[in-house]
């Protein structure tokens, strides 16, 4: 057994030991506030057990291990349905980025500790109403204000902002230069005067994303994390920071086993559904696709363990898996017939076909819409030309709105 | 052969559209998702006032003496506006069953009140995964057992049911006054779906044996054609929404509709809408003909796939906005799925269609 | 019975009467030369029977009827597999266009008569190697030469050029203006010195399209059919001239009945294929789609009969039907198992799944590729923006090759 | 868990690629379509010289003692170059059957000559639509009946067949010297498919009953994994061809690869290629394990869909050029289809896979 396998087994054992207190069953029926509180408690325990900041530097309270152990742990943890969603962005991007770009190391150490133990949560204030896929097109502005800055504008789709203590933000500091060049990167106190968070309810009924309004929010220049006008590069670094994340060939929806079990129990026009070619075809095709995605992930892990750089095909996982999950979830509703109409908006997405279906479109858009992913594959991997972008090189304040 | 709408039919379409656009708002529809048995009440009031409940029933029983084509036109608009309480389709299905298979007393008892919208009808065939279930027991004129997720079941006063008497399939009609209704928490609650629990409920037999089975398929086919119009209306509205958004929303300095991924996706939705429309209208025009069941099945399949795909793709084109509660595109996602399941899923209709094609070939 | 129905019945009766001599069975095993000769004989008979030039003016030898009768006849004729392919372009576009744009009416009358009776064939010289979907990007040039013109260059994908007596051609007469504006429209004698026709073999093994080379081909100015520089408009008129053509919801491949019959005879893993959900689904979905296309066609006919303009949805037929035919043909090969490997490249495309499959890609490209059709739908019907076209407004000789 | 190729494996890949790219041209392949029983002879010469015929057979019988992974690497390159005579896969399948189920005499008789490429093997299971047919009669050590469209059947010297003795399935091996071969006119003639007519042909029984059936599936699975590599290679080549064309071909003043309809289609082909590759390599690495059949079925499904789709879409991207004889993209269309049918169509493998998943769940 390799070291990683041994690590994985120890992690699983620990997870099993705490699952009764924090796992899916323990969370059933909790209000979001109760669940968040449970999540903070879980993070505290996870930190104590040495499974937090697995690949972060020891000097910041991390474990100093490689991304391999991190991905191994995350993959195992995913199966238990622990209350970690509230902290996923926080620990995924903003906190690693302050470790890298903030100069006040003592302050950073305190933030990292509190983030790892679930006491504080960070959010990432990038997207805007006019933005969508076009990050550099953002309009929220910061103007100089004495020695510091004054922020005005509106961010959108900010995950968990309603529970966040801090955030990292990209704003426009110069509208007279082309759009990529007029941006600067800061951190902000989400409790500061002038910051208003308004949760946005999503199609499935949940509200984990928010609008965040900035109304003359004043910050010192020590909040600045990039050169003035150099914010786009730090924003890109933020988006690239999680190179190696736990993937899920089920598209973060139910496992195929559950579909097979459903098909075993269901019938189509009086005959067992599992014997119907339509169902068999979908099971087989989805199995083949997921089997390949899993093999890609396994190969990436093997390469990382061998000190090699994994191939770009790892980027296929979200595109392929979430899109298929959407259709498979629809099919599962059909297959259940009248029973398929039953719905629990708060059922676990990885267990319930209805919840999986209603939330699948969010998955296809968040973290890079299908179309953006295809563009990235075409341009970055295959070297095809960039799309026509009429705003290229045009001063931001001269792009027609 | 297809049909052209005459002036009267065009007036039904434009008038129903005008009224519904004036009354229905996304804001009014959203809260219906979060409570059971709530419908957009103005729709039903309008439906009664406008005589939509009477459209396809004979004048002798208080109807307007029009047909599937005209009811389809109204249903199309209900689909566009997402307002449609399910009763328009369900009451029609129930009324047609009584009209085609009931005796005069039964017709007098139910058709005038159904035509007036004073009573609501339901077609309660489905049992779990059986689209035409026969698990309900019929004995000595009484029903015992459960029908699941009956559309409109929370409010219906009368239901057409399939049941079983020994080995024989029974088509029967039952008054629902004393039946236990268990409303279902669904992703599209204004469909008013409920499990109906029959306990020694008196019922009147309409048909028995293979003719009962054939009649059940025919009733579903009638409803499927009405529903295909509703699905087409929904898909058409999504097409327009997607196009309008693609023209106004800008990214990278141009309307997103200038990106071929968006542009071609919308063109594909257009294709699906027109295919759905053609199939639905064609099926409505075939009412009473030998090929009606096949035409209805084809219309059902095309419209179901069209509405599901249009909902999926229109949401995708909208990006983040598309998945917000407030924008309400999920109302279409939900309706597309509830309509896909209600009148029998695609598995059912594919099998019906292939069986018909085989019979024709044989 | 409507007049059109009566017309259709008479047409069918006539077609049945001549089918033994000209129909599918009579053609089996003929060489292409023999088949062409049979086609010329058929056209002669068709002209005599009054079914040629159905909607053309009587003064030119046509029947003076409406497009409705033409489409009715063509739909009936299609079922018999008559040898008409050689004349389809000729009578479809070039000949109608000379009726409209050539001034020497006596000459035109002679040409029309010979084309209708199958004695002469016309081709349409539009596409070029560098052209593809971009008609206005053509490079074949005509320079003034005394009182006339001298043509040099190369055309591609010219259907039946190898049998053609004449052709209509668009050439560049001014490379210094934007690409749409420097074109002029002529007719040419395909037997003239300097014209070389070289058949191109297609994927299925047939050669109905050609390369045509022009090497100092001299023509008089009386061959000119547009103002100098006004050729694009006439080219567009040529492409628009056949508004109402007989469509085929089978995508010009086999009818669905044949697939059903195949499925009735075949088995999948020991069980009747027709009872397998995978097959049932494809039959049902294809039936539904074709049923809708047929309904669209029927509605268009009804509208035409009522003197109305049919809706734009008629343009869906080729896009939807040929694409589906391709996949259904592949499936039919699979369904036949070992038998599916048997192949006759010259089998009738509407009868044979292998021939249908190998030729389907040509159908998806000829007469407007899928992507161009989608663009047309998006732009012309839905009002979406045109694609970015960097060559717009740029003088032709300054567009990078 | 997947594998990383070691240096030796990488050398097999790069060397086989180098050699094939140096020898194979489209011009040489096209004429093979128009005659029966013609292969690209240099390929087979190279295959023997390079020891590809010996790759996955034990050293004791003249093989190189490597496995599915290495044979897959060669097959991938054969797929890229379209050169692959079918014997590489078929001889391997036949040899493995003899190796796994034959006695020592049989092994000595066939394995060394198969490894050297001096004899060609065939796996003749298919009968019409039955992927594993049992219509061939086996009686007193003799075979009677026909196997249809046997890949490599025009030249094979030995075949593994399924047959029937009364109610029992038999797996047997037969020398083909005296068997009548009826070459098939196919859309991919260099596959050398022929109907084999057995008339009292002596055969040696290898297995009988359910173990014979299981062994037949296992032999097909081994071949399917080799074929999945070949299909992946073909799809990979199409991906590169499409990308290169999209970069150089211009329309409306820009490379057509700048149009999203083309660009995204190519990105989707990339996804299919990588999924096919991952599935094939994974399956090869599972040889001998419990989950091998499921992994092989999954690889087969992914690679078949991937190659078919890549061929369809690459041709479409090429426009008119794509459908010319000379450009030769139809060679891939044809190969995609012949490989899709040869080792059992998708219906077969879907059913095999689902049955395995059910067993696993039960």
């Amino acid at each position: 057994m390799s070291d990683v396998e041994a690590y994985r087994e120890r992690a699983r054992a620990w997870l099993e030991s705490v699952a009764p207190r924090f796992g899916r069953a323990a969370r059933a029926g909790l209000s979001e506030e109760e669940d968040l509180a449970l999540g903070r408690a879980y993070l505290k325990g996870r930190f104590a057990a040495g499974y937090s900041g697995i690949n972060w530097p020891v000097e910041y309270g991390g474990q100093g291990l490689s991304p391999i152990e991190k991905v191994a742990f995350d993959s195992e943890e995913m199966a238990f349905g622990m209350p970690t969603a509230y902290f996923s962005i926080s620990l995924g991007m903003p906190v690693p980025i302050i470790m890298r770009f903030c100069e006040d190391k003592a302050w950073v150490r305190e933030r990292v500790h509190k983030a790892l133990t679930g006491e504080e949560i960070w959010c990432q204030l990038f997207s805007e109403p006019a933005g969508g896929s076009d990050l550099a097109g953002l309009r929220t502005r910061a103007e100089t204000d004495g020695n510091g800055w004054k922020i005005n504008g509106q961010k959108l789709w900010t995950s968990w902002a309603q529970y966040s203590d801090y955030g990292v933000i990209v704003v426009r500091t110069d509208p007279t230069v082309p759009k990529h060049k007029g941006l600067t990167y800061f951190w902000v106190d989400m409790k500061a005067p002038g910051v208003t968070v308004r949760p946005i309810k999503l199609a499935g009924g949940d509200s984990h994303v928010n609008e965040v309004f900035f109304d003359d929010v004043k910050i010192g220049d020590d909040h600045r994390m990039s050169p003035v006008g150099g914010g786009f590069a730090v924003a890109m670094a933020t988006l690239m920071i999680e190179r190696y994340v736990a993937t899920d060939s089920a598209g973060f929806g139910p496992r195929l086993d559950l579909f097979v079990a459903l098909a075993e129990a269901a019938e189509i026009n009086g005959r067992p559904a599992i014997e119907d070619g339509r169902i068999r075809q979908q099971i087989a095709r989805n199995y083949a696709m997921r089997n390949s995605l899993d093999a890609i992930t396994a190969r990436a892990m093997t390469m990382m363990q061998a000190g090699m750089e994994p191939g770009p095909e790892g980027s296929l996982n979200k595109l392929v898996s979430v899109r298929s999950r959407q259709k498979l979830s629809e099919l599962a509703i059909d297959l259940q017939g009248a029973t398929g109409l039953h719905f629990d908006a708060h059922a676990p997405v990885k267990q319930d076909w209805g919840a999986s279906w209603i939330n699948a479109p969010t998955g296809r858009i968040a973290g890079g819409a299908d179309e953006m992913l295809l563009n990235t594959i075409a341009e970055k991997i295959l070297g095809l030309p960039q799309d026509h972008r009429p705003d290229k090189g045009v001063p931001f304040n001269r792009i027609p709105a | 052969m297809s049909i052209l709408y005459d002036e009267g039919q065009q007036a039904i379409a434009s008038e129903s559209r005008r009224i519904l656009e004036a009354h229905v708002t996304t804001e009014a529809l959203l809260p219906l998702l979060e409570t059971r048995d709530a419908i957009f009440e103005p729709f039903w009031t309008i439906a009664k006032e406008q005589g939509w409940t009477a459209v396809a029933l004979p004048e002798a029983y208080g109807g307007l003496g029009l047909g599937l084509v005209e009811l389809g036109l109204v249903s199309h608009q209900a689909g566009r506006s997402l307002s449609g309480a399910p009763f328009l389709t369900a009451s029609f299905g129930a009324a047609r069953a009584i009209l085609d298979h009931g005796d005069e007393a039964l017709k007098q008892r139910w058709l005038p009140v159904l035509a007036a919208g004073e009573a609501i009808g339901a077609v309660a065939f489905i049992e779990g995964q059986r689209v035409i279930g026969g698990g309900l027991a019929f004995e000595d004129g009484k029903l015992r057992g459960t029908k699941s997720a009956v559309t409109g079941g929370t409010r219906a006063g009368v239901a057409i049911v399939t049941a079983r008497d020994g080995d024989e399939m029974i088509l029967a009609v039952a008054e629902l006054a004393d039946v236990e209704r268990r409303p279902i928490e669904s992703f599209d609650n204004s469909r008013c779906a409920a499990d109906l629990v029959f306990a020694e409920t008196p019922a009147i037999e309409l048909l028995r044996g293979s003719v009962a089975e054939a009649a059940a398929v025919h009733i579903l086919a009638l409803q499927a054609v009405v529903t295909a119009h509703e699905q087409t209306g929904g898909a058409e509205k999504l097409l327009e929404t997607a196009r309008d958004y693609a023209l106004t929303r800008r990214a990278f300095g141009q309307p997103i509709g200038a990106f071929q991924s968006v542009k071609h996706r919308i063109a594909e939705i257009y294709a699906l809408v027109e295919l759905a429309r053609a199939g639905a209208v064609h099926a409505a025009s075939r009412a009473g003909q030998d090929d009606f069941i096949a035409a209805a099945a084809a219309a059902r399949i095309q419209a179901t796939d069209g509405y599901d795909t249009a909902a999926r793709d229109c949401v995708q084109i909208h990006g983040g906005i598309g998945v917000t509660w407030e924008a309400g595109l999920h109302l279409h996602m939900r309706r597309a799925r509830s309509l896909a399941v209600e009148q029998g899923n695609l598995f059912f209709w594919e099998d019906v269609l292939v069986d018909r094609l085989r019979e024709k070939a044989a």
Side-chain angles (χ1 to χ4, degrees), chain B residues 16-361:
Chain B
S16 54
R17 177 164 179 169
R18 189 189 63 74
I19 295 178
L20 289 175
E21 287 186 349
H23 285 85
V24 190
T25 63
T26 301
E27 294 68 40
L29 297 176
L30 285 169
L32 305 177
L33 295 176
E34 299 184 301
T35 175
R36 281 182 289 188
D37 191 28
I39 63 162
F40 181 67
E41 297 291 350
F43 173 80
W44 194 234
T45 308
I46 292 167
K48 289 185 277 191
E49 283 170 7
Q50 296 292 317
W52 296 342
T53 47
V55 162
L57 299 179
E59 291 175 88
Y61 300 103
L64 297 180
L66 301 169
L68 260 190
V69 171
E70 291 79 8
L71 182 58
L73 284 168
V74 173
S75 189
H76 179 98
Q77 297 304 328
R80 275 187 68 93
S81 68
L82 284 162
S83 60
F87 319 135
L88 200 63
T89 306
S91 284
F92 166 70
R96 271 298 297 263
I98 291 167
L99 182 66
D100 292 350
H101 310 297
D103 63 15
E104 190 57 30
L106 203 59
K107 293 181 196 178
Q108 292 294 352
R109 164 71 186 92
W110 287 112
L111 297 186
V113 289
L114 288 169
E118 288 160 17
I120 287 170
V123 172
F125 292 169
I126 204 167
E127 293 174 16
Q129 285 121 23
R130 302 232 172 179
V131 175
I132 300 180
L136 196 68
F138 180 77
E139 210 173 314
D140 300 331
K142 292 189 174 154
L143 295 170
R144 198 174 57 249
T146 302
K147 286 287 181 181
S148 40
V150 175
T151 304
T154 59
R155 301 198 183 186
V158 58
I160 311 301
V161 301
T162 48
R164 173 183 47 74
D165 182 357
D167 288 343
E168 279 194 308
M169 167 82 81
I170 303 289
L171 189 73
V173 55
E175 193 161 347
L176 299 180
D178 297 326
V179 162
E180 184 193 348
R181 301 156 200 260
R182 297 181 180 158
I184 282 175
E185 181 70 29
S186 150
F187 49 77
D188 194 10
N189 274 332
S190 68
R191 306 304 293 170
C192 301
D195 291 345
L196 300 183
V197 185
F198 296 86
E200 306 305 327
T201 308
I204 296 164
E205 176 181 327
L206 295 174
L207 294 169
R208 175 177 288 263
S210 63
V211 290
E213 288 190 54
V217 172
H218 189 255
I219 293 164
L220 279 186
L222 288 167
Q223 293 197 120
V225 174
V226 179
T227 303
H229 282 83
E230 187 169 355
Q231 292 168 311
T232 303
E236 179 187 84
K237 179 70 183 173
L238 286 162
L239 168 65
E240 293 168 16
T241 305
R243 182 202 50 201
D244 293 349
Y245 189 74
L247 284 170
T248 50
R249 173 76 181 183
R250 299 176 72 87
F252 304 105
Q254 62 182 7
I256 61 169
F259 291 101
Q260 274 188 342
S261 63
V262 173
K263 185 173 168 176
H264 287 188
R265 204 188 281 271
I266 297 174
E268 298 278 10
I269 301 176
Y270 170 78
L272 291 172
V273 170
E274 292 307 326
L275 292 172
R277 187 198 316 280
V281 176
H282 175 70
S285 78
R286 301 305 298 163
Q289 308 294 317
D290 281 350
D291 62 356
F292 174 68
I293 301 288
R300 168 70 173 161
I301 291 165
Q302 200 61 47
T304 302
D305 180 47
Y307 195 16
D308 265 336
T309 305
R312 211 185 292 123
D313 288 356
C314 181
V315 168
Q316 181 68 16
I317 286 165
H318 278 71
I321 296 291
V323 297
T324 60
W325 182 266
E326 260 179 284
L329 285 178
H330 60 103
L331 287 164
H332 280 291
M333 277 177 61
R334 292 163 186 263
R335 185 60 47 84
R337 291 274 78 218
S338 57
L339 294 184
V341 171
E342 276 179 14
Q343 312 297 339
N345 57 22
L346 287 184
F347 303 124
F348 175 79
W349 288 107
E350 286 165 0
D351 284 349
V352 166
L353 179 52
V354 172
D355 289 342
R356 297 276 150 173
L357 297 177
R358 293 182 72 182
E359 279 168 26
K360 200 180 119 197

Side-chain angles (χ1 to χ4, degrees), chain A residues 158-175:
Chain A
T158 312
S159 293
W160 308 116
Q162 72 270 49
Y163 301 129
S164 288
D165 302 282
Y166 300 96
V168 292
I169 187 168
V170 197
V171 294
R172 188 165 304 281
T173 46
D174 185 354

